[in-house]
């Protein structure tokens, strides 16, 4: 590995990450930059739909996102699991229950991410696949807003486990034990199929594929 990456002295890396990936991307970048201190990184954080637009317009080297749709002439490689879980305020009656049937969720109100969010798409797909109609409450454009609103008692939420480290540690939110959960998604490193990747980009992609999952497992 060291030999292959010898050429990485300096250079720029322009990446965009899905809003949810913002919860781990900076930690990974920190390790990468320790190894290659002369690399300059620009990090853009946005939702899935905007990422796909940016890729279509060749506005960055690479993206970190949930699975992109087929047919866009992209290369996408998965490097880490992304479990989506249901969160509740710690005093919610469902917190103490085990293997909650999906049907029980129909009595609850769910706060949802904005249209264009990958989390939102997966959640809708999952419940329609299982024939469950959820009541949705407020729509919010960030994971932070969803977590705050759930804590405040406005409803339940569905978020990636990666967004929850702090709240779980401080016992501010609870993850419900629901049948068929978590919804298992994956994180992908994505670039245009015809993109000529710089040495720095190649090194970063290799770093994600070889090491990200393990580094994040150690961190949690
Ligand atoms: P998002 O996450 O919900 O922040 O867009 C990306 C994804 O999970 O695809």
């Amino acid at each position: 590995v060291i030999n292959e990456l010898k050429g990485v002295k300096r250079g720029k890396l322009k990446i965009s990450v899905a809003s949810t990936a913002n919860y781990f991307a900076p930690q990974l970048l920190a390790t990468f930059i320790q190894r290659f201190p002369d690399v300059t990184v620009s990090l853009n954080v946005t939702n899935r739909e905007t990422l796909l637009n940016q890729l279509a317009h060749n506005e960055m080297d690479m993206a970190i996102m949930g699975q992109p749709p087929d047919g866009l002439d992209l290369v996408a490689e998965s490097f880490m699991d992304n479990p989506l879980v249901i969160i509740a305020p710690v005093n919610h009656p469902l917190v103490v229950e085990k293997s909650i049937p999906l049907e029980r969720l129909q009595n609850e109100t769910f706060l949802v991410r904005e249209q264009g969010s990958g989390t939102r798409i997966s959640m809708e797909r999952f419940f329609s696949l299982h024939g469950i109609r959820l009541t949705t409450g407020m729509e919010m454009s960030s994971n932070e807003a969803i977590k705050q609103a759930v804590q405040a008692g406005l409803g339940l939420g569905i978020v990636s486990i990666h967004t929850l480290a702090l709240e779980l540690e401080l016992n501010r939110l609870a993850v419900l034990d629901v049948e068929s959960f978590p919804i298992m998604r994956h994180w992908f490193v994505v670039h245009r199929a015809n993109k000529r990747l710089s040495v720095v980009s190649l090194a970063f992609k290799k770093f994600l594929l070889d090491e990200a999952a393990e580094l994040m497992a150690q961190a949690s």
Side-chain angles (χ1 to χ4, degrees):
V1 178
I2 303 294
N3 274 341
E4 279 170 50
L5 301 181
K6 246 188 187 157
V8 189
K9 286 270 173 6
R10 55 178 54 86
K12 287 202 171 70
L13 177 66
K14 194 170 175 197
I15 61 172
S16 282
V17 307
S19 14
T20 304
N22 185 34
Y23 288 85
F24 60 82
Q27 270 167 278
L28 294 177
L29 284 169
T31 307
F32 185 73
I33 290 300
Q34 253 168 23
R35 226 169 276 176
F36 305 112
D38 294 327
V39 170
T40 315
V41 176
S42 121
L43 172 70
N44 179 254
V45 182
T46 183
N47 77 15
R48 172 187 175 86
E49 190 170 290
T50 315
L51 276 183
L52 289 171
N53 278 328
Q54 290 176 343
L55 279 163
H57 293 100
N58 199 17
E59 287 169 15
M60 89 290 258
D61 295 317
M62 273 181 299
I64 295 177
M65 63 185 298
Q67 180 150 30
D70 293 333
L72 285 183
D73 217 12
L74 300 172
V75 173
E77 288 165 78
S78 140
F79 64 90
M80 189 163 71
D81 290 344
N82 177 22
L84 304 187
V85 296
I86 302 189
I87 50 171
V90 285
N91 60 357
H92 192 284
L94 288 178
V95 170
V96 291
E97 297 202 18
K98 297 265 170 273
S99 305
I100 301 163
L102 286 177
E103 293 73 30
R104 281 288 301 279
L105 301 177
Q106 297 183 126
N107 308 329
E108 302 291 329
T109 299
F110 277 79
L111 306 165
V112 293
R113 285 281 306 278
E114 78 284 8
Q115 296 281 356
S117 140
T119 307
R120 165 83 174 255
I121 294 173
S122 315
M123 154 184 179
E124 286 178 345
R125 201 172 286 155
F126 175 88
F127 286 108
S128 100
L129 200 71
H130 287 83
I132 303 286
R133 272 188 84 90
L134 289 186
T135 306
T136 51
M138 280 185 219
E139 185 176 294
M140 303 188 169
S141 65
S142 77
N143 290 301
E144 284 308 306
I146 299 266
K147 291 189 296 182
Q148 296 284 344
V150 171
Q151 276 185 54
L154 285 175
L156 303 183
I158 296 186
V159 294
S160 163
I161 193 95
H162 295 298
T163 68
L164 290 174
L166 212 56
E167 284 78 7
L168 296 181
E169 194 175 321
L170 300 176
N171 201 31
R172 294 207 171 138
L173 284 170
V175 171
L176 296 184
D177 179 5
V178 179
E179 264 181 2
S180 307
F181 267 81
I183 303 174
M184 191 49 87
R185 304 189 73 215
H186 300 279
W187 290 113
F188 289 78
V189 52
V190 181
H191 57 83
R192 288 159 68 98
N194 59 2
K195 182 97 187 161
R196 282 193 54 198
L197 293 180
S198 65
V199 187
V200 173
S201 297
L202 284 169
F204 186 64
K205 178 173 171 178
K206 184 166 171 48
F207 167 72
L208 289 178
L209 294 174
D210 292 352
E211 302 182 53
E214 199 181 321
L215 282 170
M216 293 316 297
Q218 283 166 9
S220 63

